Amino acid sequence: MRHLTLERSLTDRTYDAILDAISGGELAAGARINQDELAARLNVSRQPVVQALALLKVQGFVRESGRRGVVVAPLDADFIAHLYELRSALDGAACRGAARRGSAEAKLWGPALIAEGRAAFASGTVKRMVDADMRFHRFLYDLCDNPMIAETAALHWHHIRRLIGGYLQHYPMRDVWDEHQAILDAVISGDPERAEAAARHHADNASAKFTALLARSLEAPHAPAPKQRKRT
């Protein structure tokens, strides 16, 4: 977790640092958060840590857990499904609008974002992969020229970011940039129906992968122990 510099308020920077740690998997689901230790690692007093955690609690990233105190909130299958159902609708609308109004800009700037994303994937660095993914989707939101879509999506992007970061730690998304390329191709071609369908497929595919990963992680601790052979 990075130390903090001085250009923004301590609470804002502390919030960003903790959220980065949760999104990148440094603070895993269910992990207990020691506020004094966290303050020392970030080189801040305890107060901005408390304030940042209060905001993260409202947003659903951390929660109280009895005697354990504050812990990173676990992921929930229903929440993932609902989140991606919303994202599928928003991304579909954004890409439909981008195909209608932003095909020239998509052709000009989109290929560089795809190349950047493939390079991020090749690097194996989770933060770099997540950042590249977010830049690509925000680019599409900008192209659609409907600020309400981008504003609505922004409310949920931190949760999306956390899911992507958690998934990439275990299963590299080998097909994600192929799916992004398909979306971009449809936008560049000015085909609203194909752009929306490609965006919805991308979101629905991600939802299925995240839900399956969560199911495996929940089943793993309860797997039966291997039987021991009887000695003869």
Side-chain angles (χ1 to χ4, degrees):
M1 188 181 295
R2 66 182 185 279
H3 280 236
L4 304 179
T5 54
L6 299 176
E7 64 273 11
R8 299 176 61 221
S9 77
L10 281 176
T11 298
D12 286 347
R13 288 181 280 119
T14 301
Y15 166 88
D16 287 345
I18 298 172
L19 185 55
D20 280 347
I22 293 172
S23 299
E26 185 179 347
L27 290 174
R32 179 177 177 272
I33 297 177
N34 184 309
Q35 297 180 24
D36 292 326
E37 180 182 309
L38 194 56
R41 290 170 66 185
L42 295 174
N43 196 28
V44 298
S45 68
R46 198 169 184 272
Q47 183 178 4
V49 172
V50 172
Q51 293 171 338
L53 289 175
L55 180 56
L56 290 164
K57 192 183 303 180
V58 171
Q59 295 175 335
F61 290 99
V62 301
R63 71 181 190 186
E64 296 287 345
S65 182
R67 294 181 179 179
R68 295 189 66 206
V70 179
V71 300
V72 178
L75 296 172
D76 176 83
D78 287 339
F79 176 78
I80 292 173
H82 295 158
L83 181 64
Y84 269 90
E85 183 177 3
L86 176 62
R87 181 177 172 184
S88 179
L90 290 173
D91 284 9
C95 291
R96 172 178 283 272
R100 286 174 172 167
R101 295 182 284 272
S103 58
E105 292 87 348
K107 185 176 182 179
L108 182 62
W109 304 108
L113 291 173
I114 296 291
E116 180 183 329
R118 293 192 187 280
F121 174 80
S123 76
T125 304
V126 170
K127 185 178 186 304
R128 187 176 168 187
M129 287 188 277
V130 172
D131 289 347
D133 187 277
M134 293 178 70
R135 276 192 292 273
F136 177 77
H137 285 284
R138 285 172 173 163
F139 172 68
L140 295 171
Y141 295 150
D142 289 342
L143 290 183
C144 82
D145 199 28
N146 183 339
M148 294 189 68
I149 293 178
E151 289 169 8
T152 304
L155 297 174
H156 310 285
W157 256 109
H158 289 309
H159 290 286
I160 298 289
R161 181 178 164 212
R162 181 188 178 194
L163 290 172
I164 294 172
Y167 187 91
L168 288 174
Q169 291 181 73
H170 303 283
Y171 302 97
M173 291 182 172
R174 300 187 183 280
D175 56 351
V176 68
W177 286 97
D178 292 336
E179 293 177 3
H180 286 168
Q181 183 70 66
I183 294 170
L184 181 64
D185 290 344
V187 171
I188 290 173
S189 71
D191 187 333
E193 286 74 22
R194 184 156 64 92
E196 179 176 2
R200 282 183 168 273
H201 168 76
H202 178 58
D204 295 343
N205 194 26
S207 178
K209 288 179 177 178
F210 291 138
T211 302
L213 174 61
L214 179 60
R216 286 194 294 271
S217 68
L218 293 175
E219 291 171 359
H222 305 290
K227 295 181 179 179
Q228 295 183 351
R229 295 181 178 179
K230 294 181 180 181
R231 296 183 178 179
T232 56

